[in-house]
Amino acid sequence: MTSGHTDCHFCLQSLRGRKYALREENAYCVPCYDSLYANPCEECKQPIECNSKDLAYKGRHWHEGCFRCAKCSRSLVEKPFAAKDEVLLCTECYSDEYSSKCFHCQKTIMPGSRKMEFKGSSWHESCFVCQYCRQPLGTKPLITKDNENYCVPCFEKQFAHHCYACKKVITSGGVTYHDQPWHKECFVCAVCKTQLSRQRFISKDEYPYCVDCFSKFHAKKCAACKKPITALGDAKYISFEERQWHRECFSCGKCSVSLVGQEFLTRQDDILCHKCGSA
C-alpha cells in the first residue's frame, strides 16, 4: 500500500510514495517490517516477507510454495492434511503410513472420518453394522459370534435358546432337560413347583418331579415294606405278577433269605425260597 504516514516507525525514513506495512497502528517500510516481524518459514527457513502469503498452523509458518506434504511434496494449500510428529502429510500419505485398516472391508480409515473401535480393531462407521439386519451398531449393546457382530435382538432371534416353559430368551446359564433348554427358575416340579435345578428329580412322561411328589403320586410301592420304589440310589427293582419289591426287600417270607437271582415259590401273597416252599 502507498504511504499515508510520514516516516517509517523504525528507521524514520520517509514513506512518501513507498509501500509500507502497519503493525499496531505504526507504519514500517517493507525492509524494516520484514527484518523485525517476518516469520521464518518452517521449510526453507527464510523470512516470509510481508508481500508473501504466510500460511500458519499451530504456531508455525510456511511460504505458500513451501506448504507441502513431507512425503510426496504435493501442495497442501487449501487441501486437507494431517500432522504426525510435527510433520505435515497429505491425507493419502498419512493413510498409507499411519491410518488403521477397517476390520470388515480392509480399506484404510481416512483421517477425519469417524472410526469405531471394538475389541482392539477399527471399523468404518458404515461397516460396523449388525450382520443380520445391517443396521448401524454405533454404541449399542452387541454380541459377537464367529467374528460377526449382531445387535442383541437379532442375536436372540437367530441364535439364543428359548426356555421350553416360558418361551423367553435364556441369556445365561439355564438347564437342559430332554434336549430342551429351560431357565433355572422355570425348571420346577410338575406338582409342587419347587425349583429342581440344584436338587435330585425324577422324570415321568417328559415332566420332572421332585422326589417327594414322584414318590407320592407316581412311584411303585414295594409289596414288602409298602414304601415307594424311586429311581434314586439303586434303580433296579424286582417285579413279578404286577407286584414290585425293593431288591433288599425281595426275600423269603418265612426265613428272610434274599431271593434276588434265586428260584422262589409263591403261596397266596407270600414268596418263599425253594426250601421253605417245599417243606
Side-chain angles (χ1 to χ4, degrees):
M1 59 183 68
T2 56
S3 177
H5 292 71
T6 305
D7 300 319
C8 170
H9 185 70
F10 185 74
C11 69
L12 303 180
Q13 292 186 20
S14 174
L15 296 176
R16 295 183 181 278
R18 301 173 61 190
K19 292 182 178 180
Y20 70 94
L22 289 175
R23 184 181 177 87
E24 297 177 354
E25 298 185 357
N26 294 316
Y28 298 83
C29 65
V30 171
C32 287
Y33 183 88
D34 289 342
S35 65
L36 292 172
Y37 301 115
N39 295 305
C41 174
E42 288 287 327
E43 177 66 20
C44 69
K45 310 304 180 184
Q46 298 300 313
I48 304 173
E49 300 172 341
C50 63
N51 58 355
S52 300
K53 193 170 185 178
D54 185 335
L55 299 180
Y57 174 71
K58 290 188 175 182
R60 297 185 295 158
H61 301 265
W62 288 263
H63 289 106
E64 185 174 14
C66 294
F67 195 61
R68 297 171 296 181
C69 172
K71 185 176 181 181
C72 69
S73 298
R74 284 183 292 183
S75 174
L76 299 178
V77 177
E78 297 183 356
K79 293 180 180 178
F81 64 90
K84 180 69 175 180
D85 300 328
E86 298 188 353
V87 174
L88 302 186
L89 299 168
C90 64
T91 53
E92 290 82 359
C93 290
Y94 183 89
S95 298
D96 291 341
E97 291 289 326
Y98 304 109
S99 289
S100 52
K101 304 289 184 181
C102 175
F103 182 83
H104 178 72
C105 69
Q106 296 302 308
K107 295 181 179 179
T108 299
I109 300 175
M110 299 298 289
S113 62
R114 190 170 182 185
K115 178 174 67 173
M116 309 303 296
E117 298 282 348
F118 180 65
K119 289 187 175 181
S121 298
S122 301
W123 307 65
H124 290 113
E125 185 178 24
S126 58
C127 292
F128 195 60
V129 298
C130 171
Q131 178 67 17
Y132 184 72
C133 69
R134 312 306 299 174
Q135 294 299 307
L137 290 170
T139 57
K140 297 177 184 176
L142 61 93
I143 301 174
T144 300
K145 179 179 173 63
D146 299 331
N147 289 327
E148 298 289 356
N149 299 321
Y150 298 85
C151 64
V152 174
C154 286
F155 182 86
E156 291 179 350
K157 182 178 180 180
Q158 292 295 108
F159 303 109
H161 294 298
H162 290 74
C163 177
Y164 183 77
C166 70
K167 310 305 179 186
K168 295 181 180 179
V169 171
I170 300 174
T171 56
S172 63
V175 175
T176 299
Y177 170 69
H178 279 268
D179 296 326
Q180 297 290 348
W182 304 60
H183 289 114
K184 288 182 178 180
E185 58 272 21
C186 293
F187 189 62
V188 298
C189 172
V191 176
C192 69
K193 307 305 179 185
T194 300
Q195 287 193 21
L196 301 176
S197 60
R198 294 187 178 181
Q199 62 175 288
R200 295 183 295 180
F201 64 92
I202 302 172
S203 173
K204 180 177 174 59
D205 300 330
E206 297 188 358
Y207 290 98
Y209 295 84
C210 66
V211 175
D212 291 340
C213 287
F214 183 86
S215 298
K216 183 177 180 180
F217 294 102
H218 297 292
K220 300 177 186 297
K221 299 298 190 295
C222 176
C225 69
K226 309 304 179 185
K227 293 180 180 179
I229 301 173
T230 69
L232 299 176
D234 188 350
K236 293 181 180 181
Y237 62 92
I238 310 300
S239 180
F240 176 72
E241 291 184 350
E242 298 183 356
R243 289 187 295 169
Q244 292 81 33
W245 291 262
H246 294 108
R247 286 173 59 90
E248 62 271 19
C249 295
F250 191 59
S251 58
C252 175
K254 188 173 182 179
C255 70
S256 299
V257 67
S258 174
L259 297 176
V260 177
Q262 305 297 321
E263 292 183 355
F264 62 90
L265 302 173
T266 61
R267 182 178 297 165
Q268 296 179 350
D269 291 336
D270 292 329
I271 55 171
L272 303 169
C273 65
H274 193 273
K275 180 178 179 181
C276 291
S278 300

